[in-house]
Amino acid sequence: MRKVVKFGGSSLASAAQFEKVGNIIHADAERKFVVPSAPGKRDSKDTKVTDMLYACYALAEADKDFKAELKAIAARYQEIIDGLKLDLSLDEEFKTIEKN
């Protein structure tokens, strides 16, 4: 049997949460397919990445400067990457997003 699991929101809000999710996935060999969604709030005063993306898109659609908002989104992902000590860069992906 193969299992599909979905994680997002607060379960992917930080590097520590990603580690917990990784442990959950690896604890069952039948978990073969993982569907992630955007990181959620790290605390009650935080903003979900989904809401950050909507705000960035709204600015872009209104032909307003959205670079600060996009940079904040990139920083959230970079914080997770750094916390997991990954050798990974999303710089090119965020340049493509900005361009498009």
Side-chain angles (χ1 to χ4, degrees), residues 21-66:
V21 166
N23 291 334
I24 292 167
I25 293 166
H26 294 300
D28 184 346
E30 292 179 351
R31 292 184 181 124
K32 297 288 184 187
F33 302 96
V34 180
V35 180
S37 62
K41 291 183 176 188
R42 296 166 288 190
D43 58 61
S44 63
K45 296 178 182 172
D46 203 7
T47 304
K48 299 185 296 185
V49 169
T50 300
D51 292 341
M52 296 169 76
L53 289 164
Y54 281 131
C56 187
Y57 180 78
L59 289 170
E61 279 292 296
D63 264 345
K64 295 184 178 177
D65 186 14
F66 60 90

Side-chain angles (χ1 to χ4, degrees), residues 7-98:
F7 296 95
S10 60
S11 68
L12 296 179
S14 67
Q17 290 300 106
F18 263 83
E19 287 177 346
K20 287 180 188 177
V21 166
N23 291 334
I24 292 167
I25 293 166
H26 294 300
D28 184 346
E30 292 179 351
R31 292 184 181 124
K32 297 288 184 187
F33 302 96
V34 180
V35 180
S37 62
K41 291 183 176 188
R42 296 166 288 190
D43 58 61
S44 63
K45 296 178 182 172
D46 203 7
T47 304
K48 299 185 296 185
V49 169
T50 300
D51 292 341
M52 296 169 76
L53 289 164
Y54 281 131
C56 187
Y57 180 78
L59 289 170
E61 279 292 296
D63 264 345
K64 295 184 178 177
D65 186 14
F66 60 90
K67 289 180 184 174
E69 286 75 10
L70 188 60
K71 186 175 179 180
I73 296 166
R76 284 286 295 275
Y77 281 99
Q78 191 60 51
E79 181 181 298
I80 293 167
I81 290 166
D82 293 345
L84 294 172
K85 297 176 177 54
L86 299 174
D87 182 21
L88 174 69
S89 173
L90 297 177
D91 291 345
E92 290 304 314
E93 286 78 4
F94 276 98
K95 285 179 188 174
T96 300
I97 291 167
E98 181 178 342

